[in-house]
Amino acid sequence: MTYTIGDVAKMLNISISTLRYYDKQGLLPLVARTKGNIRVFDDTDIECLKMIECLKATGLPLKDIKSFFEWCEIGDSTIEQRYNLFMEQKEKTEEQIAMLTDALARINYKCNFYEVARQKGTTNVPGLREELKLKFLKEENKFS
Amino acid sequence: MTYTIGDVAKMLNISISTLRYYDKQGLLPLVARTKGNIRVFDDTDIECLKMIECLKATGLPLKDIKSFFEWCEIGDSTIEQRYNLFMEQKEKTEEQIAMLTDALARINYKCNFYEVARQKGTTNVPGLREELKLKFLKEENKFS
DNA sequence: TTACAACCTAAACCCAACTTTAGGTCAAGG
DNA sequence: CCTTGACCTAAAGTTGGGTTTAGGTTGTAA
């Protein structure tokens, strides 16, 4: 099965210009072309793009993703590097999830805070603490 | 308790230039100054900065963080906006965690794959599938 | 066979979020 | 007083990850 760049863009929800940009950056070194120079993507290219999306989602820079594909092409002598890359990325991803989980807890707190504030019509709700209140009250005092 | 910009930079592990940048962008509208124009941070400013870090971690752009602080200053008439901001950010953060959890599963698979490959000295391991193999094998065939 | 959408390139442009640079000011210790 | 490190500003530069533009080619269907 083969696909045009437009097909791939729709399938993976990546813009055509981004796909061309990735190709130019050397992230898709193996994309075939027709005699008329039109890109022909196959299922392996789709798999590569999904891997790119996965690594990008975890914050790996494009140049490092490029390195990974270069290592794949070189072969078995680069297994150690590839292993290290994924082990490191695993750690970083776990850290990111932990950070986001923390952030989510704070945000949930705020959701509850503003839920109550919405009902009462004021952020001045006894029993609930808002981080910013002190200073804004100080500010109010300044103006009064 | 008050702090210099250098103190805050060390406490929160944010560079001095970033703190000044945030101030310039209007994210720290309430930071006091000495008569000699030196910034004086207090504990509320530290709380604001922690909130900034939290929202930034979830991908909220600085201009939106600025809006939030502006809404806080305006007062109770902006409760609804603030509520919506946090509800939306809650959703987005949950989505991000889900995405990262997916990515982590793929990465863990790769860790295992390369763990075995490392032991065997080759990625050509029966029973383990590598997304990229097809094409690279095709490539090998091209050259042989 | 020509019209038309979809493809191509190179190069310029864009944006957020910083960082660096250049040239100055502040304040505490000797 | 004067030195020195920490502070200040404005403005320019940097980076990553794209998008846009301008000008051209391909290929399919009427």
Side-chain angles (χ1 to χ4, degrees), chain B residues 91-105:
Chain B
E91 279 243 333
K92 286 187 184 161
T93 305
E94 282 165 352
E95 280 165 22
Q96 281 180 76
I97 290 173
M99 274 192 53
L100 282 175
T101 304
D102 264 30
L104 185 57

Side-chain angles (χ1 to χ4, degrees), chain A residues 11 22 48 50 52 55 58 62 77 99 116 118 133:
Chain A
M11 284 170 59
Y22 287 172
C48 285
K50 286 183 184 166
I52 289 170
L55 291 171
T58 69
L62 295 188
S77 63
M99 273 191 54
V116 174
R118 220 162 54 116
K133 210 160 187 183

Side-chain angles (χ1 to χ4, degrees), chain A residues 87-98:
Chain A
M87 289 303 280
E88 207 173 298
Q89 212 52 25
K90 173 195 168 109
E91 279 243 333
K92 286 186 184 161
T93 305
E94 283 166 352
E95 280 165 22
Q96 282 181 75
I97 291 173

Side-chain angles (χ1 to χ4, degrees), chain A residues 15 17-18 21-22 34 36 56 61-62:
Chain A
S15 81
S17 63
T18 300
Y21 171 71
Y22 287 172
T34 65
K56 209 162 60 74
L62 295 188

Side-chain angles (χ1 to χ4, degrees), chain B residues 3 16 20 33 46 62 76 87 102 113-115 118 121 136-137:
Chain B
Y3 316 92
I16 289 178
R20 290 208 266 247
R33 301 280 185 132
I46 303 298
L62 296 189
D76 285 345
M87 288 304 280
D102 264 30
F113 176 87
Y114 283 115
E115 178 93 52
R118 219 160 56 116
F136 291 117
L137 287 178

Side-chain angles (χ1 to χ4, degrees), chain B residues 15 17-18 21-22 62:
Chain B
S15 81
S17 63
T18 300
Y21 171 70
Y22 288 171
L62 296 189

